[in-house]
Every structure is written in C-alpha cells, then in structure tokens.
Amino acid sequence: MKNIRNFCIIAHIDHGKSTLADRLLEFTHTISDRDMQAQVLDDMDLEREKGITIKSHAIQIDYLHKGEKYVLNLIDTPGHVDFSYEVSRALAACEGALLLVDATQGIQAQTISNLYLALDNDLEIIPVINKIDMDGAMIPEVTDQIVDLIGCKPEEIILASGKSGIGVEDILDAIINRIPAPKGNVEAPLQALIFDSVFNPFRGIIIYYRVLNGTLKKGDKIKFINAKKEYEADEVGVLKLTLTPKKEVLAGDVGYVITGIKNAKEVKVGDTITVVGANESVEPIHGFEDVKPMVFAGIFPVETDDFEELRECMEKLQLNDASLTFEMETSQALGFGFRCGFLGMLHMEIIQERLEREFNQTVITTVPNVSFYAYTQREKDVRIIVNNPSEMPEPTRLDRIEEPFIRAQIITAPDYIGNIMTLCLGKRGMLINQNYLTPTRVELTFEMPMAEIVFDFYDKLKSSTRGYASFDYHPIDYREADIVRMDILLNGEPLDALSALIHRSRTQDFGRKLCAKLKELLPRQQFLIAIQAAVGAKIVARENISAMRKDVTAKCYGGDISRKRKLLEKQKEGKKRMRQIGNVEVPQEAFLAVLKLDE
C-alpha cells in the first residue's frame, strides 16, 4: 500500500484540468500514441463539444520513480459550479489534490470553492500554475495569490503547462513525495466506499469504489450496508483506459465491480460495500450527504404514449448522474411527466441534451423554479414545500411564503464593479462584503434570492463583465418574501405549464415580456386569441393574436352595402362560435422561449 497514491485534479472552468491529465497519461505511457486524443478521459460527445468535463473520470497510472513502481489513481473532476457534487465525491476517494490555477487568469471563484471542499476532506494540496508558456502569463502575481490563499511557500508551487508538457515530471514527483499513502488494513473486513456508478446496457450497473479496508475478490458475496442488498461480485478490477479485470482489489486502491444489478435504485452513491458474513461491526462510511437540487422543472414527453419509455431513460440517466432527482407529476396541458431537480441551469441543459442524444427522447421542459416554503393561516407552523406553481395554496388561505437565499461570491476586475452592482441589486441582492484580493482582483459577496439567479443571471454576468467575472454560490437559509403565482391564460383557459412563482414587483414586466414572446410564437388561428398574464383575478398584461380572415366580400361587385354587411355579420358569428369550441395548440418552442426571454 505504501506505493499507492490517490489524487484528483481540481480547478475553475477552462484552467486546463483535462489537458494536464492527458499529459500525465502520455508521460507515464499509460496510453499508447495510437489511442491518444485531446481530452482523452472525457468520453461523452457533449463533453468534447462544449469543452467541459461533466462527469468525474478515474484512471490508474503505473509509474516508475527512482527504481520503485508506484500506482497512481487519478480522478479528473469538472470545473463548473453546477457539478461541484461530482467534485465532492471525487475528493472523498482521494488523499491529495492538484489545485490548478491558470497563469493568465489567476484565482477564480470556483478555485476557492473547490479548495475549501478539499480542505474539509483533509487532503494534501499541491498548487500548480498551469499555462505558463502563454503570452499573457502573470506568474509572479498568480504565485502571490496562491501564497495568500493557501499559506504555502512560493517554492512549493509547481510551474507547468498542460499543452506542452512542461513540469509534468515535477508534478509526478510531488504526488509521490507529498501526498500520503492511503491508510488501511488489508487483513480487516472489507469496507469500500461507492463514489460513482455507470450503466452499461450489456453488463448492467458498473460500480466504482475506493477500498478503505480489506480485500475484494472475484466471486465474493458482497453486501451494500445502507441498501441492505446482497450480490455476487462477478468481476472486479481496476480502471485503466478500459476496465481491466483482476482477481482482487486491495485496501487503498480504486476499482470497479460488476454484479449484474439492473435496477438503478439499488445502488446509492456514498453507500458502503462489505462482504457477507463479515463481522457485523463494519461501520458504514460517513461524510456523504444526499445531493440538494437547486432548480426544479417539469420534463414531459411530446407524445403522452412515450411516458413509460421516458421513465426508463430517466432511471438510466440517474445512474450516470447521481445528482439528478425526479418524481412523477401530471399537468393539464402536457399530461404525465416528471418533476426534476437539477443542480443549476447548465445541469438542466445537459440533461435535456443527453435525453435527446443518448435515448432519442424529445421532451418539453416547463419553466424552471426553486422550491419555496408556504405557511397557511390555519396552521402557521406547518411548512408546505412548494416545488411547483400548482402546489401553491390559494392566496386567501396563505399566511406567508419563504424563499431560499444564497450567498454569491463573484471575483472580477475592479472596472466591472459598477456593472455587477447594477445587475445584483436589480435581482434583489444585498452587498455583504467587498474585498480586494490584489489591486486588480476584487471579490464581491452578495446575499440574493435563489429564484433570481435561476433564469439568466449567469449569462448576464458574463456579458456585463466581458467574461471576466467568475461566480460561485452556496445556499444559506429561507426568508419571507412577497411571492405570487402568475398564470398565463389563452382565451381565458390557464396554461399550467407556463405558470411561474415570481416576486410581486416583477410580475408586470415578466408578464408583458412573456405575452409578447408568445404572440410571436403561437400560430394564428381562424379566431382571435387573447394571451393574458394574471395574478389571481388581476390581469397584469395582455396581447391579442388577430384572427386569419377570409375576404368574404370579394364576390360582391358593386351593389348595395347591406349585402356586404350581411356577409361580414355572418362571418363574425362564425368566428365567435369557433372561438368557443376552438382550442389553441402550443408549440414546444413556446415553452423553451420562457427560458430565453431577454434575447
């Protein structure tokens, strides 16, 4: 065990984690030149296209150092704030972390956030300044930032370049010399932590775990402590570029096990694996909390008949993405579907794209919102969780409603402070702290409602700071607010899929924009369509889509006006009758348009 090192790479988005991982694999000849490609660990099409890591990827490296053979287990983690749950799981399986900072950008919000996650897990931190061969590299300034943040000595910081391979050998030496070997007892009963699982259509669920104590052998009868289920280990092994079977996986190592499980619900990330018949005193491993979704939205199949198929797809997707939560719901307009919880807007977009690409499911997504707490006048202490506008109690019964608040941390250049202030104060934010990290970097801390950042906050922040601001947030508490339910009515019929829970001060503005957008998107009918936004009985905005009219007077050539009037009156009666029985088909673009109101 003294020759095993488990480590992960953490950094802000685009600071070069996956590129550095490529160089480490190349330098140690873990991967042949023929198999080498950029972002070799990112195996999803979406990851390659967007240039981001969505899933943590584990791989084992064999490295010869001063004549001794070492086994290094590397986990490449995502950088985006929406996937910090993936990062926390990767950290639980490691003893050390490479903290990567881009030499041209310096420390960003997610760098600090990931660093705190690593320190909470008592990991050994190895600071690395990446991209030192770029023209805009500010090595002395970034070195000072890291020294201030971590309190390390400047000579402990490794200078590297993931692109050209500078400093890769220094990094490997530091991993071996600075990161402690895993502690654990090979003779003790098996105790292994599940940190990820993937679904394979041929083999069932493949479970990734880190063995803390004991040994897992092929053919062992194993038991999941929290799920209280027992299985047989058909195949165990380690994670090279492909799964490599072995007879046994020892304490301190990271590996995989295939048991032929087909049901997604039986595998819970954070569960503990032990051997059946082992001493009952094997403790479950603590320190894994359930994921807390931040944004809720409904996902519905376009054709109601596809509901069962969509359910299967969602379950398989949940295996590959433990942070997705969903439950069944019904909508008057859209039929059966799911109420899903996401970690953020990017996460929601990725899930939608994965459903379309990997499972050929075209889905309709409703307006995203956060979960509120409502209290009624009769039972002022009983908290009702409102994830969906339809769950909101009637205004006459409502005593108060509380909404979730977050603490947002924004790091930017001083030139953009004004723009950020305007944006955050306009989103009902409160400035808590302003702190100059260096003369050219300022950290702003705001407390603001979660509901305000759900829609388009991140995009607006990037555009108002020309991409120079980095953003990170964490939830703090729930506070009382004047939240109302806004309904969209089409010819007096409410369209529940477009209902939204929104602050009273924004209803008129939001309602007007939404009605105008729907006017563009809804096809014209033979009758007049009235689009209204209403809060309770009060209409806050209205647009009309005028009817398509046939020119019924075209055949009247000259003659008395009363003939024309008679035809027009007859047409008017027909339109009136048509409006009573006609229903309006809402195209899918209309539901998606709500997400992009300001474009």
Side-chain angles (χ1 to χ4, degrees):
M1 268 175 67
K2 69 178 196 317
N3 286 10
I4 296 177
R5 298 288 182 273
N6 297 315
F7 70 100
C8 59
I9 306 180
I10 53 176
H12 190 74
I13 315 157
D14 284 342
H15 280 204
K17 293 177 293 300
S18 299
T19 313
L20 183 69
D22 289 354
R23 289 299 84 73
L24 289 170
L25 297 178
E26 211 172 40
F27 185 82
T28 54
H29 305 297
T30 304
I31 189 166
S32 65
D33 293 344
R34 194 180 67 179
D35 293 333
M36 193 63 212
Q37 52 176 336
Q39 282 178 276
V40 69
L41 291 180
D42 293 348
D43 46 14
M44 234 186 281
D45 296 347
L46 267 174
E47 291 182 314
R48 296 184 162 283
E49 276 171 35
K50 290 180 181 281
I52 57 174
T53 304
I54 294 168
K55 291 276 296 168
S56 293
H57 300 277
I59 189 165
Q60 191 174 85
I61 300 171
D62 294 324
Y63 180 54
L64 205 63
H65 176 71
K66 293 183 181 167
E68 271 196 80
K69 203 174 165 196
Y70 285 86
V71 173
L72 312 178
N73 289 308
L74 151 70
I75 303 181
D76 178 23
T77 64
H80 196 281
V81 58
D82 278 11
F83 303 116
S84 52
Y85 181 64
E86 283 281 331
V87 180
S88 72
R89 287 173 16 204
L91 293 171
C94 295
E95 277 85 31
L98 297 181
L99 181 73
L100 232 60
V101 181
D102 187 331
T104 59
Q105 294 184 17
I107 285 174
Q108 303 280 329
Q110 209 43 34
T111 316
I112 296 176
S113 166
N114 285 342
L115 171 69
Y116 288 152
L117 275 176
L119 291 174
D120 287 347
N121 283 330
D122 293 333
L123 298 197
E124 178 64 38
I125 308 289
I126 300 178
V128 178
I129 298 181
N130 195 20
K131 308 189 185 179
I132 58 164
D133 52 350
M134 284 182 73
D135 295 342
M138 312 174 291
I139 297 168
E141 291 93 323
V142 178
T143 304
D144 292 344
Q145 287 176 21
I146 295 176
V147 170
D148 286 349
L149 182 67
I150 306 179
C152 63
K153 297 188 180 76
E155 56 271 19
E156 288 176 7
I157 300 171
I158 299 171
L159 302 182
S161 164
K163 200 170 187 181
S164 56
I166 302 167
V168 168
E169 198 166 350
D170 298 342
I171 291 173
L172 288 164
D173 290 351
I175 289 165
I176 287 164
N177 297 325
R178 293 197 216 168
I179 294 177
K183 297 181 179 68
N185 182 356
V186 183
E187 305 302 322
L190 176 69
Q191 189 187 27
L193 170 76
I194 299 176
F195 68 88
D196 207 352
S197 62
V198 292
F199 182 77
N200 181 312
F202 308 108
R203 320 265 334 243
I205 292 160
I206 302 172
I207 299 157
Y208 296 163
Y209 56 85
R210 153 79 197 274
V211 185
L212 297 184
N213 288 307
T215 308
L216 177 55
K217 298 188 182 74
K218 183 178 176 175
D220 274 353
K221 288 279 280 183
I222 58 171
K223 177 182 175 185
F224 295 170
I225 292 183
N226 292 340
K228 298 184 173 56
K229 299 272 184 182
E230 296 182 4
Y231 303 98
E232 188 169 322
D234 298 338
E235 185 182 305
V236 300
V238 292
L239 306 154
K240 297 279 185 167
L241 193 58
T242 53
L243 303 176
T244 309
K246 280 191 151 189
K247 287 204 172 77
E248 58 183 20
V249 179
L250 304 171
D253 225 335
V254 173
Y256 73 91
V257 60
I258 297 173
T259 57
I261 304 173
K262 293 283 190 288
N263 184 356
K265 295 207 168 46
E266 293 173 23
V267 180
K268 217 172 170 44
V269 167
D271 203 346
T272 306
I273 306 175
T274 184
V275 177
V276 176
N279 193 339
E280 289 302 314
S281 64
V282 173
E283 284 284 308
I285 300 159
H286 296 296
F288 242 109
E289 71 272 13
D290 268 349
V291 57
K292 294 184 187 69
M294 289 287 159
V295 175
F296 293 87
I299 285 188
F300 293 87
V302 177
E303 297 292 328
T304 326
D305 304 347
D306 299 342
F307 172 72
E308 280 305 323
E309 199 181 327
L310 180 63
R311 183 207 294 270
E312 279 175 31
C313 298
M314 294 288 279
E315 282 174 0
K316 286 175 187 169
L317 197 54
Q318 193 176 30
L319 267 181
N320 285 343
D321 188 342
S323 40
L324 168 70
T325 57
F326 63 88
E327 57 190 41
M328 221 184 98
E329 78 163 350
T330 52
S331 150
Q332 296 162 358
L334 301 169
F336 287 105
F338 296 100
R339 186 87 197 150
C340 302
F342 307 98
L343 297 179
M345 291 299 282
L346 176 71
H347 187 211
M348 176 172 144
E349 198 182 305
I350 297 285
I351 291 289
Q352 220 174 321
E353 283 200 40
R354 285 185 69 183
L355 278 171
E356 284 188 17
R357 287 183 187 205
E358 295 172 28
F359 302 103
N360 290 328
Q361 291 288 320
T362 314
V363 291
I364 294 173
T365 314
T366 62
V367 186
N369 64 327
V370 297
S371 72
F372 298 92
Y373 291 156
Y375 299 85
T376 56
Q377 286 175 342
R378 183 173 290 175
E379 298 167 321
K380 295 191 179 184
D381 301 330
V382 179
R383 189 167 78 185
I384 302 165
I385 298 175
V386 180
N387 286 335
N388 191 337
S390 61
E391 294 166 4
M392 179 99 153
E394 290 300 314
T396 47
R397 290 174 48 225
L398 194 64
D399 178 54
R400 68 186 189 281
I401 190 161
E402 292 177 352
E403 65 174 340
F405 264 69
I406 57 157
R407 176 161 284 138
Q409 183 187 25
I410 298 169
I411 296 179
T412 183
D415 311 1
Y416 304 114
I417 293 178
N419 297 359
I420 291 175
M421 292 277 200
T422 311
L423 174 65
C424 293
L425 297 176
K427 298 273 187 188
R428 299 189 286 130
M430 291 174 290
L431 180 66
I432 302 298
N433 193 5
Q434 181 173 334
N435 173 26
Y436 277 85
L437 301 171
T438 67
T440 55
R441 317 276 311 228
V442 60
E443 177 188 31
L444 300 169
T445 310
F446 287 91
E447 284 185 1
M448 52 202 299
M450 179 77 199
E452 296 288 343
I453 69 161
V454 163
F455 277 105
D456 49 7
F457 178 80
Y458 199 63
D459 298 345
K460 281 188 174 169
L461 178 70
K462 284 291 182 197
S463 53
S464 61
T465 59
R466 298 187 191 162
Y468 277 110
S470 62
F471 170 69
D472 184 42
Y473 66 85
H474 58 267
I476 40 178
D477 55 7
Y478 278 73
R479 300 178 190 177
E480 197 170 329
D482 189 8
I483 300 290
V484 291
R485 180 172 124 189
M486 191 177 79
D487 292 312
I488 296 294
L489 311 175
L490 291 183
N491 282 347
E493 288 291 315
L495 189 67
D496 64 347
L498 287 179
S499 297
L501 294 168
I502 192 167
H503 195 264
R504 195 182 294 275
S505 61
R506 292 192 53 210
T507 48
Q508 259 178 326
D509 179 45
F510 185 71
R512 205 173 292 129
K513 280 184 189 165
L514 194 49
C515 289
K517 195 83 176 175
L518 285 173
K519 184 179 179 180
E520 289 171 30
L521 292 165
L522 291 180
R524 285 174 70 187
Q525 304 284 349
Q526 295 278 0
F527 51 91
L528 176 102
I529 304 172
I531 306 167
Q532 295 166 309
V535 174
K538 183 183 175 190
I539 304 294
V540 291
R542 173 177 174 137
E543 292 282 349
N544 287 339
I545 300 179
S546 52
M548 287 195 294
R549 292 180 54 179
K550 184 178 166 190
D551 188 1
V552 286
T553 58
K555 62 185 178 187
C556 299
Y557 184 73
D560 191 4
I561 187 71
S562 60
R563 282 181 67 207
K564 289 185 180 178
R565 194 169 289 140
K566 187 177 166 188
L567 287 168
L568 289 168
E569 286 295 327
K570 196 174 172 187
Q571 185 187 33
K572 195 171 162 188
E573 283 300 314
K575 294 256 181 256
K576 206 170 176 182
R577 202 163 54 247
M578 210 185 277
R579 186 175 169 183
Q580 284 164 356
I581 59 164
N583 62 346
V584 185
E585 284 291 313
V586 182
Q588 190 180 349
E589 292 83 63
F591 297 109
L592 300 176
V594 184
L595 311 182
K596 303 188 174 79
L597 272 186
D598 286 290
E599 285 184 9

